[in-house]
Amino acid sequence: MIKIKPALSLTDFKSISKLADIIWLEHYISIISLEQIEYMLIKYNSVQALEDQVNQGFLFFCITYNNIPVGYLGVKKEIDFLFLSKLYVLNDYRGKKIGKAAMQYVTELTNSFQLKKVILHVNKFNTSSILAYKKMGFIKTKEIVTDIGNGFIMDDYEMVKAIEN
């Protein structure tokens, strides 16, 4: 059974950070360098980074499958859209409809905020995730290159999904 609950405690943020360490090394090592992965884990997925993002308006959620922590999700309400910042699932749990359940949760959040679309950024070389997002109704709208410091960039597509309230 898939459960998604708000991440509110230090324990939740530690769990997310631990999952990030595993998932990012599993998934991104064929896409970006180990140095960039390590940098991005500290900059965006450490306990301190997650707490800082919460202070900037982000909401995080822990995803469990049969009571086992398997992933996490992060969103931020913007003026006219919900920004999906993070949606990550452990490799061994992919293909179990966890991503689909998470996107349904994101759709419900979008509706609760009375917004009409979800926007996300995905690495241009993350072909499996791009394909999954397309199957969920997202379309590529533009290319975005972001300087994230330390000599690294994020080379992404912006993808958008219209949500019917």
Side-chain angles (χ1 to χ4, degrees), residues 10-158:
L10 180 59
T11 301
D12 292 335
F13 294 132
K14 285 180 179 178
S15 176
I16 288 172
S17 186
K18 183 178 173 185
L19 282 166
D21 289 346
I22 297 166
I23 293 167
W24 276 63
L25 287 170
E26 284 178 340
H27 188 73
Y28 284 103
I29 198 66
S30 64
I31 299 173
I32 59 178
S33 71
L34 178 59
E35 293 79 14
Q36 184 165 346
I37 291 169
E38 291 172 344
Y39 176 76
M40 292 180 75
L41 283 170
I42 293 167
K43 185 171 178 74
Y44 299 110
N45 295 282
S46 65
V47 171
Q48 184 62 57
L50 294 168
E51 290 174 338
D52 291 346
Q53 289 167 74
V54 166
N55 291 332
Q56 297 166 16
F58 284 85
L59 303 171
F60 291 99
F61 302 87
C62 299
I63 304 171
T64 59
Y65 183 81
N66 295 333
N67 295 317
I68 299 166
V70 298
Y72 63 103
L73 146 66
V75 299
K76 185 177 184 199
K77 180 184 181 283
E78 299 291 352
I79 292 171
D80 61 348
F81 64 91
L82 189 70
F83 179 62
L84 176 56
S85 171
K86 296 170 176 48
L87 172 51
Y88 298 106
V89 176
L90 287 168
N91 195 45
D92 289 347
Y93 290 88
R94 294 189 186 135
K96 298 185 183 300
K97 307 221 181 282
I98 296 167
K100 186 175 182 180
M103 280 309 305
Q104 180 58 41
Y105 193 84
V106 169
T107 298
E108 292 167 11
L109 281 172
T110 306
N111 283 328
S112 74
F113 290 133
Q114 300 180 323
L115 300 170
K116 303 238 184 257
K117 63 185 170 184
V118 177
I119 295 179
L120 61 83
H121 298 168
V122 59
N123 185 289
K124 289 178 187 173
F125 302 102
N126 192 349
T127 52
S128 60
S129 294
I130 292 168
L131 183 61
Y133 289 133
K134 283 182 177 180
K135 285 182 181 177
M136 290 184 230
F138 283 84
I139 58 168
K140 288 184 212 171
T141 54
K142 63 183 167 184
E143 297 182 11
I144 300 171
V145 177
T146 307
D147 183 337
I148 59 170
N150 226 38
F152 299 116
I153 62 159
M154 291 190 304
D155 191 10
D156 295 336
Y157 290 121
E158 177 183 271

